[in-house]
Amino acid sequence: MRSFVLLLTASALTLSVLATPQSPHPQRLPLRWGILAYPTFVGLDAFAPIEILNIVRMLTPNMTIAIIAETMDPVPSHALTDIGVPGTYLRPTHTIYDNIPLDVLLVPGGGPESAVQFNNTRLINYVKRTYPSLQHILSTCTGAQFLAKAGILDGKKATTSKFSWKDIIKTGPRVPCARWVRDGNIWTSSGVTSGFDLTNAFVEQGMRNVTLANLATNIIEYETHEDPSWDPFCKIWNVTAA
Amino acid sequence: MRSFVLLLTASALTLSVLATPQSPHPQRLPLRWGILAYPTFVGLDAFAPIEILNIVRMLTPNMTIAIIAETMDPVPSHALTDIGVPGTYLRPTHTIYDNIPLDVLLVPGGGPESAVQFNNTRLINYVKRTYPSLQHILSTCTGAQFLAKAGILDGKKATTSKFSWKDIIKTGPRVPCARWVRDGNIWTSSGVTSGFDLTNAFVEQGMRNVTLANLATNIIEYETHEDPSWDPFCKIWNVTAA
């Protein structure tokens, strides 16, 4: 692990300079991240972005990652173990009632047993009231449903998981065949592992740091899809925008 | 989510038949999974396989997934939140002292702060004493280190994370340029996200169910690399077997 630590340390010096905006009047870099957590979330919808963000955070001064939930109790994903209990968890750092200031909010999707959470007005209202103060909002997989119900996707281009295509993103131009879609400050991505490419694109464009995005995805040995229209699963699942 | 549930239900009928071995004297299907958990594990090293296994488990009668740790306390990954505490967790179902019978043990890697765990003789001894009763052992990323220290990799082909190449797998033919390597019943994979391809290959070959492997990776919209020699990160990180 020595090489890992040495490289990160050396790179931090370079990258902290690279991360400094060059514009004379730059918009503040979006460094204050929040990840919305709720029971039955799809683990990887959150864990894939977190693995990239964890590396980015190590090399980015003042970057913070908050886990935001209804309560401070550990939040179980939808994955079950052999004794019928969830095996993977997010640990909240704040509740939705703390209203901590954020630059970016990431909303993960939920598993097939998430109907209750998809209609949880406390979560939907949190997304609705927080959005105006954000620089960017991101969703992975069926997380787009919370954005849709909060009215954020009205008239906007968006995508979601192939499996849930007919049930969510009821308004606005749907984009069924896309790994991820950016419409202004709204970034939605397709099924589960699309969160890797969404996060990579956000670090490149939203945080303006291509070098750091490349370093993070190379460390986790993920082959990034840089083209948002790359989506072989559109054909596999035969989805249409209708 | 209706389509998700319907498809899974319909597929279960088909797949429970497909999963039945055709040989008159088949080896028992490896259905009893264990995932070793220890503090500072790399989240995705476990979470990526778990996301695939969770789908496989839903459609495979009698398949079980245990999370095995030193104690029953929640096990934090290496990912940190803004208040300096881990944000992602595994919840144990058993301890290493329970010695529950397993067909497969998956050993995830650890983050850059995992030196204490890599030298944790209680974990190493658990791997050593459990291996003879397993059908298969798998490691992702630096998890290979536990197999090496338990003596399981002596004289065997194996791979691991590019970052940690020089520090682990000290004996046996190293395979630096591989997404994953199978040598008999020992399956080792490369950095972090290689766990997707390792798990996919195991469901196809070890569990003899190509249909289910394809279904699971298509649901999570992961582009599988079927060729174990696919490894662009070998060149990127300039590793050699020497």
Side-chain angles (χ1 to χ4, degrees):
Chain A
M1 304 306 301
R2 270 193 305 275
S3 53
F4 183 93
V5 176
L6 282 173
L7 178 61
L8 288 187
T9 308
S11 303
L13 299 172
T14 312
L15 290 165
S16 62
V17 175
L18 287 175
T20 305
Q22 299 304 307
S23 161
H25 300 292
Q27 186 185 37
R28 172 189 155 82
L29 272 181
L31 299 180
R32 298 175 302 183
W33 280 76
I35 295 168
L36 190 62
Y38 54 93
T40 69
F41 73 98
V42 171
L44 271 185
D45 284 7
F47 300 146
I50 285 173
E51 204 68 59
I52 292 178
L53 293 175
N54 191 45
I55 296 169
V56 172
R57 188 193 59 79
M58 281 193 277
L59 300 172
T60 305
N62 303 319
M63 180 170 160
T64 55
I65 303 174
I67 312 288
I68 300 165
E70 275 200 76
T71 73
M72 293 297 283
D73 294 334
V75 182
S77 81
H78 75 129
L80 294 180
T81 60
D82 59 349
I83 57 169
V85 296
T88 64
Y89 281 79
L90 280 169
R91 172 176 165 168
T93 60
H94 303 84
T95 77
I96 56 175
Y97 307 108
D98 292 334
N99 293 313
I100 60 165
L102 296 173
D103 300 320
V104 192
L105 179 66
L106 170 70
V107 183
E113 61 287 81
S114 298
V116 170
Q117 296 300 330
F118 286 157
N119 292 298
N120 182 335
T121 52
R122 298 177 297 280
L123 296 177
I124 295 166
N125 287 339
Y126 173 71
V127 171
K128 191 170 189 172
R129 74 171 180 269
T130 302
Y131 174 65
S133 66
L134 298 171
Q135 283 191 37
H136 304 271
I137 192 163
L138 281 63
S139 68
T140 48
C141 197
T142 54
Q145 190 155 187
F146 291 101
L147 280 58
K149 290 180 175 171
I152 294 171
L153 296 186
D154 291 353
K156 301 289 184 181
K157 286 188 295 182
T159 196
T160 184
S161 164
K162 304 297 179 292
F163 254 141
S164 310
W165 188 258
K166 291 181 181 171
D167 294 332
I168 61 179
I169 315 185
K170 296 194 185 295
T171 62
R174 298 170 170 185
V175 187
C177 298
R179 187 68 167 168
W180 77 94
V181 172
R182 178 182 183 178
D183 189 338
N185 69 350
I186 301 168
W187 310 58
T188 54
S189 84
S190 195
V192 190
T193 66
S194 63
F196 287 116
D197 297 318
L198 175 79
T199 309
N200 176 73
F202 188 85
V203 176
E204 286 190 356
Q205 300 168 35
M207 299 180 74
R208 289 170 269 162
N209 203 325
V210 174
T211 306
L212 192 44
N214 287 345
L215 178 67
T217 52
N218 283 335
I219 285 176
I220 65 170
E221 300 192 26
Y222 178 74
E223 185 192 32
T224 309
H225 304 289
E226 295 275 353
D227 175 5
S229 71
W230 176 89
D231 190 359
F233 305 100
C234 192
K235 187 175 179 184
I236 288 171
W237 292 116
N238 192 30
V239 300
T240 61
Chain B
M1 300 308 300
R2 270 191 305 274
S3 53
F4 183 95
V5 176
L6 282 173
L7 179 63
L8 288 188
T9 308
S11 301
L13 299 172
T14 312
L15 291 165
S16 62
V17 175
L18 287 174
T20 305
Q22 300 303 308
S23 163
H25 301 292
Q27 185 185 40
R28 173 190 154 82
L29 272 181
L31 298 180
R32 299 176 301 183
W33 280 76
I35 295 168
L36 190 62
Y38 54 92
T40 69
F41 74 97
V42 171
L44 272 185
D45 285 7
F47 299 145
I50 285 174
E51 204 68 59
I52 292 177
L53 294 175
N54 190 45
I55 297 169
V56 172
R57 187 193 59 79
M58 282 193 276
L59 300 172
T60 306
N62 303 319
M63 178 170 162
T64 54
I65 303 173
I67 311 288
I68 299 165
E70 274 200 76
T71 73
M72 293 298 281
D73 295 334
V75 182
S77 81
H78 76 129
L80 294 179
T81 61
D82 59 348
I83 58 170
V85 296
T88 64
Y89 281 80
L90 282 169
R91 171 177 165 168
T93 60
H94 303 84
T95 77
I96 56 176
Y97 308 106
D98 292 334
N99 294 313
I100 60 165
L102 297 173
D103 301 318
V104 192
L105 180 66
L106 169 70
V107 183
E113 61 286 82
S114 298
V116 169
Q117 296 300 330
F118 287 157
N119 291 300
N120 181 335
T121 53
R122 296 176 299 279
L123 296 178
I124 295 165
N125 286 339
Y126 173 71
V127 171
K128 191 171 188 171
R129 75 171 180 269
T130 302
Y131 174 66
S133 66
L134 298 172
Q135 283 192 37
H136 303 270
I137 193 163
L138 281 62
S139 68
T140 48
C141 196
T142 53
Q145 189 155 187
F146 291 101
L147 279 59
K149 289 179 176 172
I152 294 171
L153 297 185
D154 291 352
K156 302 287 183 181
K157 287 187 295 183
T159 194
T160 185
S161 165
K162 304 296 178 293
F163 254 140
S164 310
W165 188 257
K166 291 182 180 170
D167 294 331
I168 62 181
I169 315 183
K170 295 193 185 298
T171 61
R174 299 170 170 187
V175 187
C177 297
R179 188 68 167 167
W180 78 94
V181 171
R182 179 182 183 178
D183 189 338
N185 69 351
I186 301 169
W187 311 58
T188 54
S189 84
S190 194
V192 191
T193 66
S194 63
F196 287 116
D197 297 319
L198 174 79
T199 309
N200 176 74
F202 187 84
V203 176
E204 286 190 355
Q205 299 168 34
M207 299 179 73
R208 290 171 269 163
N209 203 323
V210 174
T211 307
L212 193 43
N214 286 345
L215 178 68
T217 52
N218 283 335
I219 285 177
I220 65 169
E221 300 192 25
Y222 179 74
E223 185 192 33
T224 309
H225 303 288
E226 295 276 354
D227 176 3
S229 71
W230 176 88
D231 191 358
F233 304 101
C234 192
K235 187 174 179 185
I236 288 171
W237 291 116
N238 192 31
V239 299
T240 61

